[in-house]
Amino acid sequence: MDFRAALLEQTRAFGELIRSGDPATPVPTCGEWTLKQLFSHVGRGNRWAAQIISERRNQPLDPREVRDGRPPEDLDASIDWLNAGAQAVIDAVNRVGSDARVWTFVGPRPAGWWTRRRVHEVAVHRLDAALALGAELELPADLAADSLSEWIELTTVDKSRPPALERGQSVHLHATEEKLGPTGEWTIVHDEDGLSWSHSHGKGAVALRGPVNALLLATVRRKTAADAGVEVLGDAAVWDAWLERTPF
């Protein structure tokens, strides 16, 4: 997947969705935020990442110190500000090199890590906006699948939190889109080597099966599995515990 192109496209589509709604519209999947606050969060987030990269930071950046971190009041100008922020991430990676090590919230990573992270941050918040507006939206299957992979990866490498599964437990996710092949399956296990995941096919203590967009919505807690139309097989308590222990 071309994450640079995806970042530009998802950011543009997010902006057009925001443009179509009332800025005061509540976004129930993001606490007490409105569409206006969600828009600012996404736009500032891209500029935050771009500044971390361009400064080759090895420490976090206070969001209040993000350069040009507030959108203009004019709608068209604010959309331009949003899209320029996505381009700034790409330009920053180009300047320092995709392999340059920079700060991330899961430890030092190559600068190119941020491009993929921002793609999925924007894509999931685009789903938030669609849900708030009652709009029908499905991400491309390959993007939704990689978003799910990236989320699982983040939750399994984050050592600052207790493991999201008890030792001996496992979760298996299976997307119904055959075209995804092996990338449409995810197995998460907690064994003697710790918490890990793979695209392997296996039997979990709990298994979820459904369209990849539905699996994504359930996994990032935007909808319950039942509301998303996902089939849950096995020990549902393991899935509930996973959701409770994975960050919002």
Side-chain angles (χ1 to χ4, degrees):
M1 181 183 298
D2 183 345
F3 291 116
R4 298 180 182 203
L7 178 57
L8 295 177
E9 172 56 25
Q10 289 302 309
T11 301
R12 184 201 63 76
F14 170 79
E16 291 308 307
L17 187 56
I18 296 291
R19 187 198 290 273
S20 72
D22 182 341
T25 302
V27 185
T29 52
C30 292
E32 297 181 355
W33 282 0
T34 62
L35 282 181
K36 182 178 181 179
Q37 290 168 307
L38 180 65
F39 178 87
S40 296
H41 170 77
V42 169
R44 185 183 299 115
N46 279 341
R47 290 170 182 270
W48 175 75
Q51 192 169 333
I52 288 169
I53 298 162
S54 63
E55 295 177 356
R56 304 182 90 166
R57 295 182 67 93
N58 58 17
Q59 295 291 328
L61 171 66
D62 187 327
R64 294 171 295 182
E65 297 178 4
V66 174
R67 289 189 295 272
D68 196 19
R70 291 181 179 272
E73 288 300 321
D74 177 75
L75 178 59
D76 288 338
S78 70
I79 295 294
D80 290 342
W81 171 87
L82 174 77
N83 291 327
Q87 185 65 53
V89 175
I90 295 168
D91 293 344
V93 174
N94 286 341
R95 281 195 300 272
V96 307
S98 60
D99 293 332
R101 306 285 281 185
V102 298
W103 178 88
T104 81
F105 47 82
V106 290
R109 293 288 188 275
W113 180 95
W114 276 110
T115 310
R116 183 184 182 214
R117 171 82 286 273
R118 294 309 303 172
V119 168
H120 297 309
E121 177 80 3
V122 176
V124 169
H125 283 321
R126 186 180 164 211
L127 292 171
D128 287 323
L131 290 168
L133 292 168
E136 293 293 327
L137 174 62
E138 280 200 355
L139 301 176
D142 61 338
L143 177 63
D146 193 70
S147 190
L148 191 48
S149 296
E150 197 249 5
W151 179 259
I152 293 170
E153 186 176 306
L154 289 177
T155 58
T156 54
V157 301
D158 186 355
K159 304 303 183 187
S160 67
R161 299 170 180 268
L165 291 176
E166 296 292 339
R167 185 163 174 173
Q169 292 182 341
S170 57
V171 173
H172 182 69
L173 306 175
H174 193 135
T176 50
E177 290 89 346
E178 292 184 4
K179 65 182 178 181
L180 290 174
T183 64
E185 293 195 57
W186 301 262
T187 298
I188 310 156
V189 299
H190 186 182
D191 57 19
E192 62 275 7
D193 296 321
L195 193 64
S196 63
W197 77 279
S198 70
H199 282 303
S200 62
H201 177 79
K203 181 177 175 58
V206 64
L208 283 80
R209 180 179 175 85
V212 68
N213 271 269
L215 289 175
L216 176 61
L217 288 169
T219 303
V220 297
R221 302 193 298 189
R222 266 48 182 188
K223 287 187 176 183
T224 65
D227 287 345
V230 171
E231 185 179 14
V232 180
L233 305 168
D235 190 349
V238 173
W239 175 246
D240 292 340
W242 164 269
L243 292 178
E244 190 174 331
R245 295 180 185 184
T246 47
F248 183 70

